[in-house]
Amino acid sequence: MVPLIYFIGLSAILFILGVVGVLIRRNAIVAFMSLELMFNAANLLFVSFASYYQSLNGQLFVFFVMIVAAAEVAVGLALMVAIFRSRNSIDIDQEHSLKG
Amino acid sequence: MTIQILVFLILAAIAIGTAVGMLVSRNAIYAVLFLVSNFITVAVLYLLLGAPFISLAQVTVYAGAIMVLFLFVIMLLGGEKLPVAAGWGKQRWAIIGVAVVVLVEAGLLLVLKGDMSLMLIESAMDAGPASIGMTLFTKYALPFELTSVILLSALVGAIVLTKQDKP
């Protein structure tokens, strides 16, 4: 079978790509999608170690991560719709007036 | 080189390629489509790891529901017309920091060579929907019930945030 280190390397690369996406993209929705990429890299690592230790607990944790990610996406996209409505833009660099 | 390593390398190349494609595509719609292909590739990797239930949940929840929500919001807001990253601006130091960390990690990996002896074995455990469900409703019953509270609060939050104030 495949060495475990290959999967660790792949998830590290995917996670770093997600971090880079959050840093370089100014479109808030694309930055948000890079966040999903990071969730995905962490999930891949969970499933790899669940397979290595032959345990179901890692797979169930991935299940819970998916639920939290779905809730986070719903609230985040609603926030973006609300911001777009008031400012007519979702450019991250424009959002520096969040003080009440 | 066994067939599994070959399959893994092909899938890894596709996953990294689609992730990079998502970062550099100018149109947000294309970015969503790249991310969907990335999620489906990772779902196939889950199948390789012997996790069929998680793999199909990934396809339905992530590649299906969540990305359709993204597409819907992008088309609703017209977000695809936004400019791609122009100036590096204020994030310059953060980007340089990430680059340094990546280079140091790659160097460490080359020096230490990783532990190649830890092999994933052929999966012998039963990870089908039946055993996942049994574990979920016995050992993880309380967290499972708590997720319903999370989803309910997300539902209420999304409705409150997008509610138009009546004039």
Side-chain angles (χ1 to χ4, degrees):
Chain A
M1 273 299 279
V2 189
L4 183 61
I5 193 84
Y6 284 14
F7 280 95
I8 298 175
L10 176 62
S11 15
I13 292 172
L14 288 180
F15 191 89
I16 293 287
L17 284 173
V19 174
V20 170
V22 170
L23 288 174
I24 69 171
R25 293 299 299 249
R26 280 162 60 203
N27 188 335
I29 292 183
V30 179
F32 212 42
M33 275 156 44
S34 309
L35 221 65
E36 296 299 313
L37 194 62
M38 286 193 269
F39 269 119
N40 218 29
N43 282 350
L44 182 61
L45 207 55
F46 269 123
V47 176
S48 315
F49 276 97
S51 175
Y52 178 69
Y53 287 110
Q54 295 287 300
S55 146
L56 267 186
N57 297 334
Q59 297 193 12
L60 283 163
F61 207 92
V62 170
F63 185 73
F64 289 120
V65 170
M66 276 181 189
I67 292 169
V68 173
E72 171 247 344
V73 163
V75 175
L77 287 178
L79 262 177
M80 263 167 226
V81 170
I83 291 174
F84 185 82
R85 230 180 237 151
S86 68
R87 309 178 57 92
N88 230 9
S89 155
I90 48 168
D91 192 331
I92 289 180
D93 287 351
Q94 309 280 319
E95 311 304 333
H96 43 63
S97 56
L98 286 178
K99 301 191 276 284
Chain B
M1 178 178 289
T2 60
I3 185 83
Q4 277 114 340
I5 293 186
L6 196 64
V7 170
F8 171 83
L9 289 179
I10 294 172
L11 288 174
I14 297 175
I16 294 172
T18 48
V20 171
M22 185 202 83
L23 294 189
V24 300
S25 58
R26 298 193 157 268
N27 192 323
I29 303 279
Y30 292 160
V32 170
L33 295 180
F34 272 123
L35 194 56
V36 169
S37 352
N38 187 19
F39 283 162
I40 291 176
T41 314
V42 173
V44 180
L45 278 176
Y46 289 165
L47 276 185
L48 191 68
L49 285 168
F53 179 79
I54 295 297
S55 167
L56 292 183
Q58 164 102 354
V59 172
T60 43
V61 176
Y62 264 118
I66 292 185
M67 296 324 284
V68 165
L69 194 61
F70 269 106
L71 267 184
F72 190 76
V73 170
I74 289 174
M75 290 182 175
L76 188 71
L77 301 185
E80 73 269 22
K81 296 189 204 75
L82 277 178
V84 194
W88 295 52
K90 295 171 215 147
Q91 292 104 345
R92 184 183 295 122
W93 293 110
I95 294 173
I96 291 174
V98 169
V100 168
V101 169
V102 172
L103 288 178
V104 168
E105 277 187 4
L108 277 179
L109 198 65
L110 282 181
V111 170
L112 299 177
K113 290 250 185 337
D115 193 350
M116 300 293 284
S117 60
L118 298 177
M119 299 289 278
L120 290 169
I121 54 174
E122 201 73 54
S123 192
M125 64 176 171
D126 177 22
S131 54
I132 293 257
M134 278 307 289
T135 320
L136 199 57
F137 284 101
T138 51
K139 192 175 173 188
Y140 290 98
L142 182 63
F144 183 74
E145 296 299 330
L146 282 179
T147 57
S148 64
V149 180
I150 293 180
L151 287 176
L152 180 67
S153 57
L155 183 69
V156 173
I159 291 175
V160 167
L161 280 172
T162 51
K163 191 166 67 74
Q164 296 269 31
D165 288 331
K166 291 274 185 322

